[in-house]
Amino acid sequence: MNEIPRPYNPKETEDKWYKFWEENNFFSAKPKPDKKPFCIVIPPPNVTGILHMGHALNNTIQDILIRYHRMKGEEALWMPGTDHAGIATQNVVEKFIAREGLKRQDLGRDKFIERVWKWKEEYGSTIIRQLKKIGSSCDWQRLRFTMDEEYSGAVKEVFVRLYEKGLIYQGNYIINWCPRCQTALSDEEAPHREIQGSLYYLRYPLKEAEGHVVVATTRPETMLGDTAVAVNPKDKRYKNLVGKTLILPLINRRIKIIADEMVDMKFGTGAVKVTPAHDPNDYALGKKHKLEFVNVMHPDARMNENALDYRDMDRFEAREVILEDLKEKGLLEKIEPHTLSAGHCYRCHTLVEPYLSKQWFVKMKPLAKPAIEAVKKGKIKFYPKRWTKVYLGWMENIQDWCISRQIWWGHRIPVYYCRECRDEIIVSRDKPEKCPRCGAPDIFQDEDVLDTWFSSWLWPFATFYWPKENQDLKYFYPTSTLVTAPEIIFFWVARMIMAGMEFMENIPFKDVYIHGTVRDVEGKKMSKSLGNIIDPLEIINEYGADALRFSLISITSQGQDVYLAKERFEQGRNFANKIWNASRFVLTNLDPKQAAVDLCVYFKKEDLDIINRWILSRFYSVLKEVNKNLDNYKFNEAVNLLYSFFWHEFCDWYLEIIKPDIKDQKNQVVMYKVLEKFLRVLHPFMPFLSEEIWQKMQATEPQSHRATSIMVNNWPHIQEQIIDKKLEKEAEGIFGIITQIRNLRISIAIKPDQLVKVSCFTHTKAKERLVKENSAIIKNLGKLEDLDFLAKSKRPDATISAISDDVDLYLHFTGLLDTALEQEKIKEKMLSLQKAIRAKSAQLANSNFLERAPKEIVDKEKESKKQLEDELKRLSKMADELR
RNA sequence: GGGCAUUUAGCUCAGUUGGUUAGAGCGCUACACUCACAUUGUAGAGGCCAGAGGUUCAAGUCCUCUAAUGCCCACCA
C-alpha cells in the first residue's frame, strides 16, 4: 500500500466516485412495498441559479439525510428539479439578448419565449452540475422543471379547480407594481426596506374662503391624483372645514374635505391627501367615500396624461418639478427629513409603486384554515420549533394572493376571452375552439402569466405527475422532510402546505427543517454586490467537496445563522487528511488474512484487552449519539462527535497504543472493524473520502465478501452489550497517567526521546492491577525505561511529583531539584483543591440539600468531596516530604 | 409599533430534560520532523457564562426586567 500518496487529494477521487454511483444507479428509488419510504423534494433552484454557499449548506443537509436513511435500509428518494423563476429568468435572458442589441419587444412574445427555452437548454443545467460536484445523491432520472408539460398541466388544473371553487377572482386593486420589471408583485415579493425620505408639507387652498389646509406627504408627485383630503372627525382643528372644497394646486381640481376615523390626528398636520389610485389606504377611503380614482402614472412610472404639464416625466423628476412649482406659488410650507419603509422589488430592488390595476387573486383564508390545523395538531413539525409561531402568525393574518404577472416567461393564465362577447371570461384547461356562449371562433388567451410560486407550491406532488394517479405518488407522498431557509417560509413552505391540504387532502411533508442563513464574518448576507461571496466551487477546488461539507455542517448549529470565513474550510481539509493518513497507516499494516474474521463470533468480549474494548465501546457510544443527533436534525453535533472520536480517540490514543503490537490479531481485527464502521457512519457527511478509503479496504477482503459501494451498505447497528461506561473510564484513567508523566517531563525540559524512570504509588488494589496490566502502554507512551511500584506512599529522592486520580507519580531525574518551584506547584494545586472542598463542605452542611436533593446526587457529592480531600492529603504529604 | 433570535476563552461558536472544578475549532506559548499524518504530534496559558433581580437544596441552563446587536412582520400619509 505504499503507493497511497501522503496528503489526501480530493481531485483524484471525487469525480471518479460520483460517476461510479450514477452509473450504478445508486441514487434511484422506486416504490418498494416492503421498504419504508423516505423522501425529500429539493427546493428547486432557479434555472438561472449558480451555486452559492446557501445552496451548498441546504443541499449538504439534504444529502446527509438521504444517505443516512438510504443506509438505514429505507427507500430514499431525493427528488431534484429546477424552477422556471419567471421574473428572474426573464431578466437574465433580456440581459443576454441585449448583447445582440435586442429587446424582448423587438422579438415579440413567441420568439422571446423561444429564446428563453434555448437559453435554458444551454445554461439551465449549470446548477445541476454544481449540485453533483458537492455530492448530492438525487435521483437524476426524475429531474423535473416547473415548466415541464405535465407540470404545466398540474398548474392549469389547480387554477381551474380553484376558480371553479370560487377561490380565484379578478379585480381592480392596488397592488405592488415594479416599474422596472413592469409587472405586479405579491406582497411577499415586495419586501419593505427603510429609506431616508422627506415629509413634504403642501398647502391646498380653500375654494370658498381665504386660507388653506396643509397636508403632509412623502410622495408629492401623487398629489396630481388627489381626489380628496381627509381629516379625523374628532379633530377640532378641522371640524368646521369638513365638507368644504379645496382647489388642488397645479391641477385645479376641486376636491372635498372628508372625515374618516382612519386618519391619525397625531401624524403630520392631521390632514391627509387622498390618492385612491396610488395608495392602498387611500384606495379604501376612495371606495368608502365614493371618490374618483385618478391614475397619474404610466406602467413605467412616468407621469401620464392625467398629470397634465408633468406628463411623461419620470416619477422622481416630476417630484422635483412639482415641488419647485409649489414653492414658487408659496404652497410648499416646509420639508422635514423622514425615514419610512417602502416595498422594493425582490428581483431588481426597484422602489415599488402602489398601483391600481386589474389582476388575478387567490382567496387565501379558506386555503389557510386546514393548513393552520395541520401544524397546530402537530402533523407537521418545524425544527427549530420557533418557526411554528412565525408560520401561524402569517397564516392567521393571510392576505389574498396576487398571482398574475405582466411578463412573458411563465405559465400563461388559463383564461380565455371571446372577441364577440368581449369581457366574458372562459376558464379552461385547454383553449376552447369556440366561445361556449355565442359560438364565435375568435378566442384569445389572457396575456398574463402566473406567479412562479403558483407553480412551486405544487412541487411535492406535481413532481410525481399529479393529478395522474400513480404508484410513485402513493408511495412517496407525503414526503418526509423539507429542508429550507427561513426566507421562503411564506413564499413557499406555507403555500405548499395549503396546496397539499387542498389538492392531496394531506400534508406535503412531516418535518420542516429550517437552517440558518450563510453570512460573512461580519454577519452580512453574502451577495455579489457586496463582493463578500465565498464561492463553494472555489472551495471544492482548493479543499475538496468533503471539506466543504464537513466545515459547513460543523458550524451549523440548529437554525442559527452561519458566519463563514474561508479559513473554516481548512478544518475540513485537515480532517479529511487525518482520516486519509490514519487509514493509510491501518492499511499498510494490515494483514488481510488476520483481519478478515467476524469479531463477534471469533472473540468473546473477555478475550480482548482493555484498549480494544475501550475503542469498541467508544465507537458504539458515539454511534448511538450520532443516531440521536441525526434524528433530531443536530448535524453539527453529530459531525463534531465523529471528528473528536476519530482524531482524539482513534488516532491519538488507540492507534498510538497498538502501534508496537500492531501485528497482533486482536488489534488487527479491531482496528480494521472500527475504521470500516466509522467510514460508514462518516459517509453521509464525507461521501467521497469515505468511499475512496472503503474501496481500498474492500480490496483486502476476500472476493466473496466484497460489496459494491459504501453508499449502499448498511448503517452500523448499535451493539449495546459492547458499550461499557465504567470500562471507558478505566481506560481513560490510564491515559491520564500518561498525560501527567508527559507533563512532568516537559516541566523540567526532558528531551522527547530521552527515557526516564517513574515510580508510582497506587491507592487502591484495583488501580494497582490496572496500572500493572497496562504498564507496557504507559512505558511506551510516557517514554519510560522503568515504571516501578512503591510499597509505601513516600517520595523517593530526586523526583518531581504529580497525581492522577488515585495514583501518585514520581519522576526521577538527575541534577538538582528546584524545591522552591516544586513547592510552588504543589501549593497552587492545593489552593484550588481547598477552594473546591470548601464549596462542597458548605453544600453538604446544608440540611436542605441533604433533605431535598435526590440521594444519588448527595452520594455523588459526598464521594467527590472525599476524593478531593484524599488528594489534598496526599499533596500535603508530598509537600512535607520536600522539606 | 409587534414578534423572534443572539450576548459563554483573543476570534468563531457548542453546551440536549437544571446536578462533580463550563467545552471545541482557530489563534497564542513551549518543545519535537528517519519511524501514518507538519494539512502533524506533545504539553500548556486563557472564562464574574451581557447586567440586575427572582425561583430552587442546586442556575450558563428556568422566570422577570434592563442594555446592546441582528432578523422578520405591520396600511407610520
Side-chain angles (χ1 to χ4, degrees):
Chain A
M1 293 311 252
N2 287 330
E3 75 276 15
I4 307 176
R6 280 196 342 172
Y8 173 57
N9 185 354
K11 284 197 186 116
E12 283 172 15
T13 65
E14 293 181 354
D15 292 347
K16 174 180 76 185
W17 290 120
Y18 200 87
K19 202 170 147 228
F20 173 77
W21 296 330
E22 267 200 298
E23 282 171 357
N24 281 279
N25 268 325
F26 290 149
F27 302 157
S28 101
K30 293 191 184 69
K32 295 200 180 89
D34 54 323
K35 283 172 92 180
K36 199 179 144 198
F38 181 86
C39 179
I40 295 178
V41 291
I42 202 169
N46 293 355
V47 263
T48 57
I50 293 172
L51 194 83
H52 55 62
M53 274 302 167
H55 290 125
L57 173 64
N58 178 253
N59 289 288
T60 298
I61 291 171
Q62 293 176 73
D63 197 43
I64 289 169
L65 284 171
I66 284 285
R67 286 179 188 268
Y68 169 55
H69 285 275
R70 191 185 284 126
M71 289 177 80
K72 282 210 316 189
E74 294 163 37
E75 189 64 14
L77 170 63
W78 189 2
M79 171 72 82
T82 51
D83 192 301
H84 70 280
I87 302 173
T89 306
Q90 176 159 323
N91 286 351
V92 166
V93 178
E94 279 186 287
K95 259 185 215 151
F96 189 75
I97 60 171
R99 284 195 254 158
E100 302 164 35
L102 288 172
K103 283 191 179 150
R104 73 180 149 105
Q105 288 82 359
D106 300 334
L107 292 171
R109 186 167 189 148
D110 291 348
K111 279 263 154 25
F112 178 74
I113 298 293
E114 253 173 54
R115 286 300 297 263
V116 181
W117 277 108
K118 209 177 131 207
W119 187 94
K120 190 241 165 194
E121 294 314 316
E122 237 170 287
Y123 304 103
S125 55
T126 304
I127 187 98
I128 301 299
R129 272 201 314 278
Q130 293 173 326
L131 286 174
K132 291 181 178 183
K133 273 283 189 192
I134 65 169
S136 310
S137 59
C138 302
D139 187 351
W140 296 112
Q141 282 148 13
R142 292 177 183 265
L143 187 70
R144 303 282 192 263
F145 181 49
T146 50
M147 293 261 284
D148 285 342
E149 204 183 323
E150 300 89 343
Y151 202 103
S152 300
V155 172
K156 276 182 239 172
E157 178 71 25
V158 160
F159 188 97
V160 173
R161 283 199 198 179
L162 288 176
Y163 182 80
E164 284 169 354
K165 225 178 159 182
L167 294 181
I168 282 187
Y169 62 93
Q170 191 188 31
N172 253 313
Y173 294 95
I174 299 270
I175 43 79
N176 302 293
W177 182 266
C178 174
R180 203 215 63 87
C181 303
Q182 297 211 24
T183 177
L185 298 170
S186 66
D187 294 340
E188 293 68 45
E189 287 172 318
H192 282 229
R193 256 194 355 219
E194 211 159 74
I195 48 178
Q196 293 303 317
S198 304
L199 198 54
Y200 304 91
Y201 290 76
L202 315 181
R203 293 174 177 154
Y204 288 5
L206 282 157
K207 183 178 166 251
E208 291 99 348
E210 284 295 299
H212 48 250
V213 170
V214 180
V215 296
T217 179
T218 53
R219 294 189 298 152
E221 65 281 6
T222 62
M223 60 92 56
L224 306 175
D226 284 2
T227 54
V229 164
V231 296
N232 193 298
K234 290 197 198 106
D235 198 331
K236 286 185 196 119
R237 294 171 293 180
Y238 299 108
K239 199 132 215 169
N240 300 326
L241 291 175
V242 174
K244 295 270 189 306
T245 304
L246 297 165
I247 305 287
L248 184 66
L250 310 179
I251 293 279
N252 290 321
R253 184 183 300 135
R254 276 135 210 239
I255 60 175
K256 283 264 192 284
I257 299 175
I258 59 170
D260 198 287
E261 302 277 350
M262 241 175 95
V263 179
D264 179 0
M265 293 190 280
K266 286 181 291 241
F267 191 90
T269 59
V272 55
K273 63 193 267 313
V274 183
T275 325
H278 288 277
D279 184 276
N281 287 322
D282 296 5
Y283 175 82
L285 277 178
K287 279 274 174 202
K288 191 168 160 193
H289 295 272
K290 301 203 164 51
L291 302 174
E292 205 186 332
F293 291 72
V294 180
N295 185 340
V296 295
M297 277 184 210
H298 289 301
D300 61 357
R302 283 178 309 119
M303 309 312 284
N304 68 16
E305 60 284 355
N306 291 329
L308 303 183
D309 295 348
Y310 307 94
R311 175 178 184 160
D312 290 343
M313 285 183 198
D314 173 76
R315 53 181 166 166
F316 298 119
E317 187 194 351
R319 177 180 297 179
E320 293 312 311
V321 180
I322 286 167
L323 288 170
E324 273 305 308
D325 292 352
L326 287 171
K327 199 172 164 191
E328 213 166 89
K329 292 185 198 300
L331 296 176
L332 178 60
E333 183 153 303
K334 60 174 173 177
I335 303 174
E336 282 174 355
H338 182 72
T339 58
L340 66 153
S341 75
H344 289 74
C345 174
Y346 85 134
R347 281 294 158 217
C348 71
H349 312 296
T350 302
L351 180 66
V352 152
E353 201 62 38
Y355 197 66
L356 184 64
S357 69
K358 201 180 197 182
Q359 303 289 346
W360 288 92
F361 296 87
V362 181
K363 242 181 240 171
M364 297 308 276
K365 283 247 152 42
L367 294 176
K369 217 178 149 209
I372 290 170
E373 284 299 296
V375 170
K376 276 195 175 160
K377 283 188 182 149
K379 288 184 189 157
I380 300 174
K381 288 199 186 73
F382 281 86
Y383 296 83
K385 265 216 287 297
R386 65 170 184 275
W387 297 109
T388 313
K389 238 180 109 181
V390 175
Y391 166 86
L392 289 174
W394 187 76
M395 290 292 275
E396 275 156 9
N397 296 296
I398 199 160
Q399 304 291 314
D400 285 356
W401 178 13
C402 173
I403 51 168
S404 44
R405 298 289 178 273
Q406 288 65 50
I407 55 172
W408 288 351
W409 174 243
H411 299 281
R412 193 99 172 245
I413 294 188
V415 168
Y416 302 86
Y417 306 94
C418 166
R419 265 190 231 284
E420 295 297 318
C421 325
R422 302 306 299 174
D423 284 340
E424 191 60 36
I425 288 172
I426 310 157
V427 175
S428 166
R429 290 165 183 85
D430 303 300
K431 183 175 178 176
E433 303 213 340
K434 52 185 194 206
C435 174
R437 194 158 249 251
C438 70
D442 197 358
I443 305 283
F444 65 96
Q445 189 171 4
D446 197 299
E447 292 292 318
D448 290 355
V449 301
L450 289 160
D451 180 5
T452 297
W453 301 99
F454 193 85
S455 55
S456 358
W457 74 328
L458 315 176
W459 192 247
F461 49 90
T463 45
F464 291 108
Y465 300 126
W466 180 91
K468 242 186 268 165
E469 289 224 357
N470 64 82
Q471 282 308 305
D472 282 2
L473 185 57
K474 252 190 219 142
Y475 184 73
F476 289 113
Y477 192 96
T479 68
S480 311
T481 303
L482 182 81
V483 179
T484 193
E487 293 96 68
I488 54 175
I489 291 179
F490 305 146
F491 273 119
W492 194 49
V493 180
R495 288 173 182 156
M496 277 193 287
I497 297 174
M498 290 188 273
M501 297 311 287
E502 174 69 17
F503 302 108
M504 294 295 295
E505 289 170 15
N506 198 352
I507 53 169
F509 29 70
K510 298 175 196 95
D511 289 351
V512 179
Y513 175 72
I514 307 278
H515 59 249
T517 306
V518 183
R519 299 171 184 281
D520 71 3
V521 258
E522 280 158 28
K524 292 199 194 87
K525 228 170 166 167
M526 288 197 179
S527 77
K528 256 187 251 168
S529 53
L530 285 171
N532 60 351
I533 285 189
I534 301 176
D535 180 2
L537 293 163
E538 212 174 278
I539 298 298
I540 290 175
N541 194 36
E542 202 168 328
Y543 301 107
D546 290 320
L548 171 82
R549 293 168 63 117
F550 175 87
S551 288
L552 269 180
I553 290 304
S554 76
I555 56 176
T556 308
S557 67
Q558 202 185 55
Q560 288 308 121
D561 284 356
V562 180
Y563 287 43
L564 199 60
K566 203 177 158 194
E567 298 75 55
R568 294 308 298 243
F569 296 104
E570 285 172 14
Q571 196 192 352
R573 176 201 59 184
N574 294 355
F575 186 41
N577 193 50
K578 187 73 181 178
I579 297 167
W580 178 255
N581 278 299
S583 306
R584 202 158 67 92
F585 173 72
V586 169
L587 283 170
T588 46
N589 286 290
L590 190 72
D591 179 351
K593 276 199 242 61
Q594 292 212 68
V597 300
D598 190 321
L599 187 61
C600 312
V601 178
Y602 209 78
F603 294 109
K604 286 202 210 76
K605 200 164 126 187
E606 306 76 65
D607 292 341
L608 295 173
D609 56 45
I610 183 168
I611 295 308
N612 280 315
R613 277 154 69 191
W614 169 75
I615 197 69
L616 286 166
S617 175
R618 286 302 303 146
F619 174 77
Y620 286 111
S621 295
V622 166
L623 174 62
K624 204 171 164 180
E625 288 295 305
V626 168
N627 285 347
K628 214 170 93 192
N629 285 319
L630 281 176
D631 292 336
N632 289 292
Y633 303 106
K634 297 188 172 175
F635 304 103
N636 66 320
E637 293 191 32
V639 89
N640 289 335
L641 274 167
L642 291 176
Y643 179 90
S644 71
F645 166 76
F646 191 84
W647 201 308
H648 299 304
E649 300 189 308
F650 187 69
C651 293
D652 290 351
W653 288 111
Y654 180 72
L655 289 183
E656 291 305 325
I657 287 169
I658 66 162
K659 211 177 246 183
D661 247 340
I662 199 159
K663 295 295 175 193
D664 175 85
Q665 186 180 16
K666 287 166 190 160
N667 292 340
Q668 287 270 319
V669 179
V670 173
M671 78 173 180
Y672 184 79
K673 299 293 179 203
V674 171
L675 177 61
E676 193 274 336
K677 284 176 201 290
F678 170 79
L679 288 173
R680 280 192 261 155
V681 180
L682 181 76
H683 179 260
F685 304 94
M686 303 178 91
F688 298 107
L689 171 76
S690 53
E691 179 76 295
E692 172 74 14
I693 299 169
W694 195 83
Q695 292 284 351
K696 285 191 193 304
M697 292 178 81
Q698 282 298 296
T700 70
E701 294 268 352
Q703 200 74 40
S704 57
H705 280 66
R706 288 187 200 170
T708 40
S709 166
I710 191 171
M711 72 162 283
V712 289
N713 215 304
N714 297 329
W715 190 255
H717 288 290
I718 297 172
Q719 309 268 350
E720 284 286 355
Q721 79 283 3
I722 288 180
I723 298 178
D724 184 341
K725 290 290 167 195
K726 195 168 152 251
L727 175 124
E728 287 181 16
K729 246 201 143 121
E730 274 179 10
E732 279 145 20
I734 299 168
F735 307 159
I737 292 170
I738 293 166
T739 302
Q740 287 293 355
I741 292 172
R742 286 166 169 171
N743 184 350
L744 286 175
R745 297 173 59 105
I746 282 188
S747 73
I748 52 168
I750 292 173
K751 290 254 166 359
D753 50 358
Q754 191 188 325
L755 297 181
V756 292
K757 185 181 162 190
V758 165
S759 300
C760 70
F761 180 79
T762 49
H763 288 262
T764 66
K765 275 272 180 291
K767 196 68 168 207
E768 185 182 348
R769 205 178 54 240
L770 186 73
V771 175
K772 278 193 171 146
E773 273 169 16
N774 293 287
S775 60
I777 291 168
I778 297 171
K779 273 155 79 175
N780 179 36
L781 294 192
K783 290 272 158 60
L784 307 184
E785 60 184 350
D786 194 18
L787 173 67
D788 67 32
F789 290 77
L790 300 169
K792 266 199 216 150
S793 168
K794 185 168 191 318
R795 175 188 290 268
D797 290 338
T799 57
I800 51 169
S801 59
I803 289 176
S804 175
D805 289 333
D806 34 20
V807 183
D808 300 343
L809 297 162
Y810 303 98
L811 187 144
H812 298 260
F813 69 104
T814 51
L816 214 57
L817 176 62
D818 187 342
T819 24
L821 193 78
E822 182 73 358
Q823 283 279 15
E824 187 59 32
K825 211 176 73 190
I826 295 175
K827 281 267 156 62
E828 241 172 70
K829 186 88 189 89
M830 283 172 72
L831 270 174
S832 92
L833 272 175
Q834 276 158 353
K835 212 175 128 197
I837 289 167
R838 269 201 302 278
K840 291 246 177 285
S841 303
Q843 192 178 18
L844 284 165
N846 185 339
S847 56
N848 275 328
F849 173 68
L850 298 175
E851 280 163 30
R852 299 195 192 183
K855 191 169 177 302
E856 72 239 39
I857 296 290
V858 176
D859 288 348
K860 227 160 115 187
E861 289 299 314
K862 281 185 183 157
E863 178 59 25
S864 143
K865 187 188 168 204
K866 196 173 153 283
Q867 271 175 21
L868 292 172
E869 282 169 345
D870 282 355
E871 198 173 334
L872 183 66
K873 232 182 277 165
R874 284 149 55 197
L875 275 172
S876 128
K877 185 154 174 271
M878 281 181 174
D880 287 345
E881 287 167 352
L882 268 174
R883 297 216 178 87

